[in-house]
Amino acid sequence: DGADASGCGPGEQFVVLDSTRLRACSCEREDVRAAIDAAEHGDTVLVPAGTCTWTAGIEVAKDLVLAGSGSDSTTLVLDLPDDGVEDALFKFVPDDTARANLDSLDEDTGLFDVSGIRFRGTGRTRNKFALWLDNYQLPPVRRLRVHDCAFTDVHRAVQVKGYVHGVFYDNTLVNSNGSYPQGAGWQSFVNDRMALGSGKGWYIEDNDFSWTEGTAGGVCGAGNAGGGYVVRYNTVSGRMRGGDSYVETHGNQLSGIYGPQITEVYGNDLNAEGIGRVTNARGGKNLYLNNVVSDPDMEIWEEYSDTQTSDTNPPGRCVEPGEGVGRQTCTDACICQKVHDSFFLNNRLSTPGGAVVNAVATMDFERREGPEIVNDPPELVENIEYFNFTTEFDGSTGCGCGPPADRPATCTAGVGYWATDQNCSDLAGMVGANPTTPLSGTLYRCVETDVWTAWYTPYAYPHPLRAAG
């Protein structure tokens, strides 16, 4: 019939291999789109080897597996318009069926999966992404994963928005930002509540990031709008642009942005040169644990009081004493956007025996149209909102690390202790992509004077979704 080696006849855009697999006849956009249009929920669409330049993206509504022939064989070049408008080669906006298939990790009902593709940018055009995961409808989607891909000179590998959870793993990124996880605004606090160690959020694990001199970048940026992310066991090398951060979160802002819920950063080897700071955490619960970093600068900010958020304040906001007079007190029973219940624990400049890196509140004021107004009293207070690591921990302030039997018998409410049988001063083998010895332990917190309780345990590693499908 004139079919070529791939089985495609003249004029054909895809072939059906069996009941669940289709193969595009080339990596050109129109052939891939035709295969996606013909696929059913749960099918696999194979993208063959080749290098193809796309000037427009494809919106996908079904839970599909999109598999290239390998990141060294299938290359898609982003040549999207440089107009500042957010766009991506693949934008996943799940329909009702896909949401129902992807709503639970406890059911093997479906998967949205992208693998085996190299995404190459043309000058890191701003707001143009390789992938965009977008879901503002309930239920939240949880069975999403991106793995074994390569990203080169892409402004952002994956844009994550709305009620989206999943894992980004075993990818290689060169001069490319990782992700920018955002929730659905205050609705995420109500409809998709997250807790540290819960498995919710966008997981970035076992990836290799590298930058050439002077290139802007980051591993995970600006988690906000009620979202959350976990950055664990990644390796970062090269030289980045001064002033950038490895990771960051936004707080609530007058422009309508809400703060995040959670941020977890642990077991990473963050060793690029030229970085401006490890983080500038501006909201939510933060846990920074056992990272090796190249820069001693960990910043936390309070940019705006929760009362200053634009639109209407979220229902259930943790109010300030006297409705706006005094400091805001955060609890799990209400919505709090400022940095709170945060621990910066055993982060070091090198391994073994590197100097300890702790957090400093470098901004604590409300920005208004007039002069900057310093909060009085301040909103970010050490040993109330955030706790720093000390090697001489006695239970009175900060947080400590060591064997369970060495946890102090007495403690002041709020402090924490990472109870582990692992070495607290030598992190060799515990950091970077695919560690030989992943972190093992439990963070205990003093909930009232001399009363400890298990407060946090890292989520299962590797992420359970990596074994699905």
Side-chain angles (χ1 to χ4, degrees), residues 300-348:
I300 57 176
W301 297 0
E302 167 75 350
E303 293 174 292
Y304 303 92
S305 164
D306 278 14
T307 62
Q308 295 297 307
T309 302
S310 64
D311 304 323
T312 57
N313 288 301
R317 174 176 61 85
C318 296
V319 297
E320 298 177 4
E323 287 295 329
V325 179
R327 301 180 69 256
Q328 184 184 46
T329 300
C330 298
T331 73
D332 289 338
C334 53
I335 296 172
C336 194
Q337 299 186 73
K338 74 174 182 178
V339 171
H340 65 283
D341 296 292
S342 295
F343 290 86
F344 298 84
L345 206 162
N346 202 34
N347 302 289
R348 295 178 179 270

Side-chain angles (χ1 to χ4, degrees), residues 13-14 22 24 28-39 58:
Q13 293 182 297
F14 66 92
L22 304 88
E28 297 294 343
R29 176 182 178 273
E30 292 308 313
D31 288 355
V32 176
R33 185 177 70 173
I36 288 174
D37 288 346
I58 297 174

Side-chain angles (χ1 to χ4, degrees), residues 175 210-216 237-242 273-274:
N175 295 337
S210 63
W211 277 272
T212 56
E213 186 171 355
T215 305
S237 61
R239 184 171 183 83
M240 299 168 67
R241 184 182 66 179
E273 299 177 11

Side-chain angles (χ1 to χ4, degrees), residues 43-315:
D43 283 354
T44 294
V45 173
L46 304 176
V47 183
T51 298
C52 296
T53 300
W54 291 19
T55 57
I58 297 174
E59 186 168 306
V60 183
K62 309 163 193 169
D63 50 302
L64 300 175
V65 173
L66 305 176
S69 296
S71 60
D72 56 349
S73 300
T74 302
T75 299
L76 302 183
V77 180
L78 287 74
D79 191 20
L80 303 173
D82 188 5
D83 53 12
V85 178
E86 292 187 338
D87 199 0
L89 290 197
F90 293 106
K91 182 179 181 182
F92 178 55
V93 186
D95 60 17
D96 290 343
T97 300
R99 278 193 297 275
N101 290 341
L102 303 174
D103 67 342
S104 174
L105 284 181
D106 297 329
E107 301 174 8
D108 194 11
T109 53
L111 194 65
F112 182 77
D113 179 285
V114 180
S115 67
I117 300 173
R118 177 177 296 277
F119 297 92
R120 193 175 74 218
T122 54
R124 299 179 78 251
T125 307
R126 185 169 179 78
N127 288 328
K128 305 304 176 183
F129 322 125
L131 306 166
W132 183 348
L133 311 177
D134 189 275
N135 176 45
Y136 282 89
Q137 303 296 317
L138 294 171
V141 291
R142 299 198 64 186
R143 301 180 60 82
L144 283 70
R145 69 184 187 189
V146 178
H147 60 100
D148 297 286
C149 289
F151 303 86
T152 304
D153 295 323
V154 177
H155 179 225
R156 194 170 298 145
V158 185
Q159 177 80 322
V160 178
K161 287 190 172 185
Y163 304 112
V164 174
H165 307 266
V167 59
F168 178 88
Y169 68 96
D170 283 348
N171 299 289
T172 301
L173 299 93
V174 178
N175 295 337
S176 299
N177 294 306
S179 296
Y180 194 107
Q182 303 174 63
W186 65 262
Q187 292 90 341
S188 285
F189 289 90
V190 176
N191 300 318
D192 195 16
R193 200 64 184 255
M194 303 180 196
L196 295 171
S198 66
K200 288 189 173 182
W202 183 243
Y203 278 69
I204 301 174
E205 63 185 50
D206 289 333
N207 302 287
D208 186 273
F209 293 78
S210 63
W211 277 272
T212 56
E213 186 171 355
T215 305
V219 175
C220 195
N224 61 41
Y229 66 77
V230 179
V231 173
R232 59 182 185 174
Y233 308 123
N234 299 279
T235 297
V236 181
S237 61
R239 184 171 183 83
M240 299 168 67
R241 184 182 66 179
D244 286 340
S245 306
Y246 288 118
V247 291
E248 66 171 343
T249 58
H250 281 172
N252 57 297
Q253 298 179 15
L254 298 182
S255 60
I257 295 175
Y258 290 87
Q261 294 190 57
I262 62 165
T263 303
E264 298 178 42
V265 181
Y266 58 88
N268 298 284
D269 185 2
L270 306 176
N271 200 29
E273 299 177 11
I275 189 72
R277 58 195 166 212
V278 176
T279 183
N280 62 326
R282 295 177 255 178
K285 291 183 178 180
N286 298 269
L287 180 73
Y288 285 72
L289 169 66
N290 280 28
N291 299 285
V292 173
V293 301
S294 61
D295 191 281
D297 196 3
M298 279 191 177
E299 299 181 8
I300 57 176
W301 297 0
E302 167 75 350
E303 293 174 292
Y304 303 92
S305 164
D306 278 14
T307 62
Q308 295 297 307
T309 302
S310 64
D311 304 323
T312 57
N313 288 301

